[in-house]
Amino acid sequence: EPEVTQTPSHQVTQMGQEVILRCVPISNHLYFYWYRQILGQKVEFLVSFYNNEISEKSEIFDDQFSVERPDGSNFTLKIRSTKLEDSAMYFCASSDDSQLVDTQYFGPGTRLTVL
Amino acid sequence: QKEVEQDPGPLSVPEGAIVSLNCTYSNSAFQYFMWYRQYSRKGPELLMYTYSSGNKEDGRFTAQVDKSSKYISLFIRDSQPSDSATYLCAMSVGNQFYFGTGTSLTVIP
């Protein structure tokens, strides 16, 4: 069964450092998403990406965040200067059609800890 | 603004019980209403989704949407220990998904 994969599973970084979280979406999917879930809180939408550009983003996705699809398989989330409050689980998701919610698959997440 | 409200629980029921999970929402523009299951250290997995008011059944699971009350429910019949997980409601408008906080469910054998 196809699945979304994410690396690393756990990333520990110092405040102010840059981190890059990596995702490999399902191969024939065209739409890509990042979400975050702060411990004990709800899953929050960050950004959606289609055709090599951001299609929608939330208020959380400010200038310190960026996304990129550097090659045909990876989808990355970069946080330029991490803050303590960026500590969270970050989930990548992909779908083959933005209108069909049952095609959106989530990865297992990357736990980011900012010290 | 709290778009989606969900009681976090935890909820503990004996095996075989009927479980009722609920969410309320405030945004009448939401188009899809979803229920996800999330096991520890895993990403959310879509269980069911609906587009309109009414009921949708899939095996032991029934999703119910009442748009007039802005209220959705998930019912689990004959609950099993393997149903123990966190259940997240979610709603979408366009490409943006809004999740509830999740309800932690434990089904006791």
Side-chain angles (χ1 to χ4, degrees):
Chain A
E1 186 176 321
E3 59 179 7
V4 176
T5 59
Q6 291 184 242
T7 54
S9 58
H10 190 190
Q11 173 88 49
V12 181
T13 190
Q14 295 289 326
M15 189 170 58
Q17 295 296 304
E18 175 183 286
V19 294
I20 297 177
L21 309 183
R22 291 184 166 78
C23 168
V24 178
I26 293 172
S27 62
N28 63 336
H29 283 185
L30 302 174
Y31 299 84
F32 313 111
Y33 311 83
W34 282 102
Y35 296 83
R36 79 170 185 194
Q37 185 177 29
I38 295 171
L39 185 65
Q41 298 186 27
K42 56 181 68 174
V43 174
E44 298 172 292
F45 170 79
L46 291 178
V47 66
S48 61
F49 190 86
Y50 170 72
N51 200 26
N52 282 319
E53 59 183 31
I54 291 172
S55 48
E56 292 192 57
K57 61 182 181 178
S58 71
E59 292 174 355
I60 302 167
F61 194 87
D62 60 23
D63 290 344
Q64 71 160 343
F65 291 94
S66 62
V67 290
E68 194 177 35
R69 189 156 161 82
D71 53 43
S73 59
N74 289 285
F75 178 52
T76 62
L77 174 70
K78 182 192 289 186
I79 309 175
R80 261 179 272 283
S81 178
T82 49
K83 306 185 188 90
L84 295 176
E85 55 264 36
D86 293 327
S87 295
M89 280 291 286
Y90 287 81
F91 293 106
C92 171
S94 71
S95 69
D96 65 1
D97 188 320
S98 67
Q99 300 302 315
L100 297 177
V101 299
D102 60 343
T103 71
Q104 184 173 111
Y105 292 84
F106 282 76
T110 292
R111 180 171 299 282
L112 176 65
T113 301
V114 182
L115 302 175
Chain B
Q1 181 186 6
K2 295 188 177 181
E3 298 271 8
V4 180
E5 297 270 7
Q6 183 176 9
D7 185 341
L11 189 58
S12 185
V13 301
E15 183 175 354
I18 296 173
V19 176
S20 172
L21 305 167
N22 311 293
C23 288
T24 58
Y25 64 95
S26 57
N27 189 347
S28 56
F30 286 138
Q31 297 165 306
Y32 286 94
F33 304 88
M34 288 80 69
W35 286 96
Y36 288 81
R37 179 173 58 197
Q38 186 177 22
Y39 293 112
S40 181
R41 301 181 183 279
K42 299 284 189 183
E45 171 196 11
L46 181 68
L47 275 178
M48 297 182 69
Y49 74 96
T50 56
Y51 182 73
S52 56
S53 283
N55 293 352
K56 183 176 181 179
E57 195 171 310
D58 183 2
R60 296 184 295 110
F61 298 88
T62 300
Q64 191 174 77
V65 173
D66 182 347
K67 285 190 173 181
S68 62
S69 302
K70 296 190 175 67
Y71 188 88
I72 71 170
S73 299
L74 178 72
F75 299 97
I76 307 174
R77 288 184 300 281
D78 188 25
S79 55
Q80 303 294 309
S82 58
D83 295 329
S84 298
T86 296
Y87 289 81
L88 309 169
C89 65
M91 299 161 200
S92 69
V93 53
N95 268 357
Q96 292 218 24
F97 282 55
Y98 297 84
F99 284 80
T101 51
T103 300
S104 175
L105 171 68
T106 301
V107 181
I108 302 166

